[in-house]
Amino acid sequence: MTVPKSGESTYEARIRRAALLSARHSFAREFLDFYKHLVPFQKTQGAKLARAKDLHAGPLAAMEFRKHLNLTLLLPDFRGFLSVLEQHAPPALAGSAHQIARLPSESWISSLEAYWQHAGKYDQQVGAFAQFIPRAFLEPYAEFCGARIQRPPVVGAPRLCPLCGSRPLLGVLRPEGDGGKRFLLCSFCGQEWEFRRLLCPTCGEEAENKLPVYTAEQLPHIRVESCDTCKFYLRTIDLTKDGNAVPLVDDLAAIPLTLWAHEQGYSRLQPNLLGT
Ligand SMILES: [Zn+2]
Ligand SMILES: [Zn+2]
């Protein structure tokens, strides 16, 4: 049901895509130039997780996800992560990282544990970078765990991730036959599940005339799939239009679409790493 998302090549693809989109879109350059420094850290962390023998006891059961936060393994890398942010992040985020670096490790632990318990369930768009630090730090671990969860058979069209119960971050249209099949990408564990194309993942609306789709000329492969019943929208990366897109990265570059959707009165169900 999903395309596995872990391993070094995934991170390499993200770095390459961020470099390309940064050169192409000046509106996304500041963040993507920082992102190119963040992903190598995540790649090293991903490789370390893949090597950690005690994590390979077998597949995880679906929905047991949040019981597995191995801070003994992860915490030694947290200070290094904060220094990447201090050196390369946009000023406000670098400032937050600098302040957090001076706090005792108990405070780091409680922030990471709180994020792990609630991520993808009750997130609100409370402001730029609001969740960035725990989310970016734990993303490789969440994706690593997500790739190890036993796949339950998918029944119907679940609006929450069948593996971890989180909300979708994005839609992904993958080529199939003459068209594309839509998947939802989990905002927490990074796995995908199949989802009908004409169905609002927020409220379940199925009437085509209530589900308008918008695209912008500068980002033709990114669809704003909105719902006039609940006024939420799903951003969907259309791989039938650009097979080189990397959904997680292309979403981060789509800043003008966030502003446009907001002006039209549509909200996003789940914010991305930027908090938008
Ligand atoms: Zn998930
Ligand atoms: Zn809806």
Side-chain angles (χ1 to χ4, degrees):
M1 81 176 215
T2 71
V3 179
K5 299 207 177 305
S6 64
E8 290 193 35
S9 60
T10 305
Y11 295 108
E12 291 295 341
R14 289 177 189 172
I15 294 168
R16 279 199 304 276
R17 188 68 180 171
L20 185 139
L21 293 178
S22 163
R24 193 182 283 173
H25 302 305
S26 57
F27 49 76
R29 194 160 296 147
E30 184 191 30
F31 179 74
L32 290 177
D33 285 352
F34 154 57
Y35 189 71
K36 284 186 289 181
H37 292 281
L38 172 70
V39 180
F41 174 86
Q42 294 185 319
K43 178 183 162 186
T44 307
Q45 212 184 7
K48 175 178 161 180
L49 291 169
R51 285 194 308 269
K53 289 193 178 58
D54 59 341
L55 286 178
H56 290 287
L60 300 173
M63 302 300 167
E64 299 257 303
F65 199 84
R66 293 179 206 264
K67 293 181 192 160
H68 297 272
L69 176 59
N70 189 337
L71 284 181
T72 311
L73 186 73
L74 299 171
L75 210 57
D77 297 327
F78 194 61
R79 188 172 288 286
F81 169 76
L82 292 174
S83 19
V84 172
L85 269 50
E86 285 182 74
Q87 287 169 44
H88 300 288
L93 184 57
S96 302
H98 182 68
Q99 284 178 356
I100 291 171
R102 298 162 76 178
L103 297 175
S105 60
E106 295 78 44
S107 153
W108 299 351
I109 291 169
S110 57
S111 148
L112 295 171
E113 283 178 343
Y115 171 77
W116 190 259
Q117 287 312 312
H118 299 296
K121 295 199 288 187
Y122 311 113
D123 302 346
Q124 300 293 328
Q125 295 181 32
V126 289
F129 298 128
Q131 277 192 325
F132 187 94
I133 289 176
R135 184 168 177 173
F137 180 69
L138 293 176
E139 191 172 68
Y141 186 66
E143 290 180 349
F144 177 80
C145 292
R148 290 178 54 230
I149 296 176
Q150 255 172 343
R151 319 263 150 216
V154 176
V155 181
R159 292 186 218 160
L160 299 178
C161 173
L163 301 183
C164 74
S166 300
R167 292 168 173 171
L169 172 67
L170 288 172
V172 182
L173 270 185
R174 296 189 174 277
E176 182 163 298
D178 293 336
K181 189 177 260 192
R182 185 167 74 164
F183 294 80
L184 299 184
L185 172 69
C186 177
S187 59
F188 186 37
C189 75
Q191 302 295 299
E192 293 180 9
W193 70 100
E194 199 178 324
F195 199 78
R196 274 169 42 202
R197 280 188 70 163
L198 275 179
L199 179 62
C200 170
T202 306
C203 73
E205 179 61 75
E206 337 180 61
E208 192 170 0
N209 65 345
K210 299 275 192 189
L211 301 169
V213 176
Y214 304 95
T215 52
E217 209 173 314
Q218 60 205 143
L219 299 160
H221 67 298
I222 305 187
R223 297 155 59 93
V224 174
E225 299 179 331
S226 52
C227 174
D228 285 335
T229 302
C230 66
K231 300 304 270 183
F232 278 89
Y233 76 97
L234 180 76
R235 187 176 294 166
T236 289
I237 311 299
D238 187 349
L239 298 178
T240 71
K241 294 239 172 80
D242 185 346
N244 293 318
V246 176
L248 210 58
V249 185
D250 285 60
D251 170 52
L252 292 170
I255 295 166
L257 295 181
T258 304
L259 304 174
W260 180 86
H262 186 70
E263 281 167 17
Q264 306 303 310
Y266 295 118
S267 304
R268 195 172 188 183
L269 182 61
Q270 186 65 19
N272 62 18
L273 198 54
L274 279 164
T276 60

